Amino acid sequence: MTTNPLNSENLLLAFLSEFKEIDASQLSKIASLIPVECYEKGTVLIEEGSRVHHCYYVLKGCLRQYQLVDGIEKTTRLYVERQPVAFFNAYTQQSPVDVFVECAEDSVLIVGDVRSETTMYEEFPVLQQITRKMMEEDFGKMQESFAKFIISTPEQRYQDLLEKRPDLLQRIPQNQLASYIGVTPESLSHIRKRLGTR
Amino acid sequence: MTTNPLNSENLLLAFLSEFKEIDASQLSKIASLIPVECYEKGTVLIEEGSRVHHCYYVLKGCLRQYQLVDGIEKTTRLYVERQPVAFFNAYTQQSPVDVFVECAEDSVLIVGDVRSETTMYEEFPVLQQITRKMMEEDFGKMQESFAKFIISTPEQRYQDLLEKRPDLLQRIPQNQLASYIGVTPESLSHIRKRLGTR
């Protein structure tokens, strides 16, 4: 955790005020109940093998999820602004997570504790509605990404990033991005060379 | 749709009664509001390019999701018992879906209409709670599957199916299963030969 140069309170209020479901009169009360934290680039939020009770929501920044395969970090997911970070299997089965999640940039995150969410939902049912919407949106996107990953080649995946997620290419080093499209860093270099994006 | 040899009513009641959140006195009332349909093997539930307002939940049977790539069917997801089938991007953006979903077996499905879900949730808030739990469970599983797909080879994916989802190998023809682990049917034959599972 770090000091607050990114003005986390304003980020939270701006985010919450986008939901027409939240009555303006309840906005500051709800905001005061939602913990927001700032983390420095490089902070490891989740360690493989640990038990996780927290979920996150990216207000600002970028998180990288990776797994160690034969000692090598393989990036399996990237989270940017307006994405939830949740590990439902770990919450419900109370089993350790099998991934690492680290801050790829200085980040401002909503930090939720799943052990107290029921109480919060009871007090503010609107939050359950909002959470469901956010999850559904993310679910839909992940479903599409997974299907697209299956039917495409690494080169197509890279071209897709170039077109639709050019920000990721700036935010994540090439060696960490390679496994995310299913290739080694060397193969990614070849792909970039072929596509003339070096 | 077909006649009802699979006893869909009992399947629905058995399913609903697993949720301790539902009060026994409300069970038959709630069940009467939930449409359940039987579909014959081969029925195409969702066509690429169509607008979708329905979600499904598999009580019995198996559905296959695929996309056409250069005229060839590529399986991108399989749904079996106790899995929701939902396309949130299509609901919220009102854009056409880019996949086909067909019944790989005679199937009994809960059929939900997303246009009327709000009314239903208002009448029975417990259904919103249950839906959220189901989605979270499926979300967690898909997240794990996607990460595993990224870090594994087709041979590892096949071995994983052999160990954890042997039912799928029986239920889905080999030529439809191949793309699901990211290879051609010919490569899957080679993998099976190498592993001695022919």
Side-chain angles (χ1 to χ4, degrees):
Chain A
M1 262 176 259
T2 175
T3 52
N4 192 353
L6 297 167
N7 211 343
S8 57
E9 268 176 50
N10 287 354
L11 285 172
L12 178 63
L13 281 170
F15 167 64
L16 290 176
S17 60
E18 280 173 24
F19 292 93
K20 59 180 189 330
E21 294 91 342
I22 300 181
D23 195 83
S25 66
Q26 288 203 311
L27 200 64
S28 61
K29 177 77 196 293
I30 289 179
S32 72
L33 289 172
I34 297 178
V36 176
E37 304 285 357
C38 303
Y39 296 93
E40 274 179 6
K41 178 176 175 175
T43 307
V44 177
L45 285 176
I46 293 174
E47 283 208 63
E48 187 205 5
S50 62
R51 288 182 191 272
V52 177
H53 306 286
H54 291 98
C55 55
Y56 304 88
Y57 189 81
V58 185
L59 291 175
K60 190 167 175 57
C62 179
L63 309 182
R64 182 174 72 96
Q65 173 184 303
Y66 64 91
Q67 288 176 251
L68 287 177
V69 181
D70 300 328
I72 295 167
E73 288 182 10
K74 303 272 188 184
T75 302
T76 51
R77 213 172 162 201
L78 297 167
Y79 303 90
V80 295
E81 285 83 6
R82 304 298 155 103
Q83 271 190 284
V85 184
F87 297 91
F88 296 110
N89 287 3
Y91 308 144
T92 50
Q93 298 162 20
Q94 279 303 299
S95 56
V97 283
D98 58 356
V99 298
F100 293 85
V101 177
E102 73 163 20
C103 297
E105 296 175 350
D106 290 350
S107 301
V108 182
L109 311 174
I110 292 178
V111 183
D113 189 322
V114 291
R115 290 165 298 186
S116 58
E117 65 170 11
T118 313
T119 324
M120 199 143 137
Y121 289 153
E122 275 166 15
E123 191 172 1
F124 292 102
V126 70
L127 288 179
Q128 171 148 292
Q129 209 177 325
I130 287 176
T131 310
R132 190 170 61 86
K133 277 197 183 173
M134 291 191 314
M135 294 311 309
E136 285 178 358
E137 195 187 316
D138 197 49
F139 191 103
K141 280 186 196 156
M142 188 165 62
Q143 212 165 11
E144 257 186 33
S145 304
F146 193 1
K148 198 176 264 176
F149 194 96
I150 291 178
I151 63 171
S152 59
T153 63
E155 187 155 328
Q156 287 166 337
R157 288 171 207 150
Y158 184 74
Q159 278 188 301
D160 202 53
L161 279 183
L162 266 180
E163 283 165 31
K164 293 179 191 152
R165 304 292 305 275
D167 62 305
L168 285 183
L169 304 178
Q170 304 302 321
R171 298 169 90 170
I172 304 292
Q174 191 177 325
N175 63 330
Q176 293 180 348
L177 205 63
S179 53
Y180 183 65
I181 60 167
V183 294
T184 60
E186 293 70 34
S187 298
L188 178 53
S189 288
H190 292 308
I191 289 173
R192 285 162 62 98
K193 216 178 255 175
R194 268 203 303 280
L195 295 174
T197 56
R198 212 164 231 293
Chain B
M1 263 179 259
T2 173
T3 52
N4 191 354
L6 297 167
N7 210 342
S8 58
E9 267 176 50
N10 288 353
L11 285 172
L12 178 63
L13 282 171
F15 167 64
L16 290 175
S17 59
E18 279 172 26
F19 292 93
K20 59 181 190 330
E21 294 90 343
I22 300 181
D23 195 83
S25 66
Q26 288 203 312
L27 201 63
S28 60
K29 177 78 198 291
I30 289 179
S32 72
L33 290 172
I34 297 178
V36 176
E37 305 285 358
C38 304
Y39 296 92
E40 274 179 9
K41 178 176 174 173
T43 307
V44 176
L45 285 176
I46 294 174
E47 283 208 63
E48 187 204 5
S50 62
R51 289 183 190 272
V52 178
H53 306 287
H54 291 97
C55 55
Y56 304 89
Y57 189 81
V58 185
L59 290 175
K60 189 164 176 57
C62 179
L63 309 182
R64 182 173 71 97
Q65 173 184 303
Y66 64 90
Q67 287 176 250
L68 287 177
V69 182
D70 300 328
I72 296 167
E73 288 182 11
K74 302 273 187 184
T75 303
T76 50
R77 214 172 162 200
L78 297 167
Y79 304 89
V80 296
E81 285 82 8
R82 303 299 156 102
Q83 272 188 284
V85 185
F87 297 91
F88 296 110
N89 288 3
Y91 308 144
T92 50
Q93 298 162 19
Q94 281 301 301
S95 55
V97 283
D98 58 357
V99 298
F100 293 85
V101 177
E102 73 163 19
C103 297
E105 296 175 349
D106 290 350
S107 301
V108 182
L109 311 175
I110 292 178
V111 183
D113 189 322
V114 292
R115 291 165 296 187
S116 58
E117 65 170 10
T118 313
T119 324
M120 199 143 137
Y121 289 152
E122 274 166 16
E123 190 171 2
F124 292 101
V126 70
L127 287 180
Q128 171 148 291
Q129 210 177 325
I130 287 175
T131 310
R132 190 169 62 86
K133 278 196 183 174
M134 290 192 314
M135 293 312 308
E136 286 179 357
E137 196 187 315
D138 197 49
F139 191 103
K141 280 187 196 153
M142 189 167 60
Q143 211 166 12
E144 258 186 32
S145 304
F146 194 1
K148 199 178 264 177
F149 193 95
I150 291 177
I151 63 171
S152 59
T153 64
E155 185 154 331
Q156 287 167 337
R157 288 172 206 149
Y158 184 74
Q159 277 188 301
D160 202 53
L161 280 182
L162 266 180
E163 284 165 29
K164 293 179 191 150
R165 304 291 305 275
D167 62 305
L168 285 183
L169 304 178
Q170 304 302 321
R171 299 169 88 169
I172 305 292
Q174 190 176 325
N175 64 330
Q176 294 180 348
L177 205 62
S179 53
Y180 184 65
I181 59 167
V183 294
T184 61
E186 293 70 32
S187 298
L188 178 54
S189 288
H190 292 309
I191 291 173
R192 284 163 62 97
K193 216 178 253 176
R194 268 203 303 282
L195 294 174
T197 55
R198 210 162 234 292

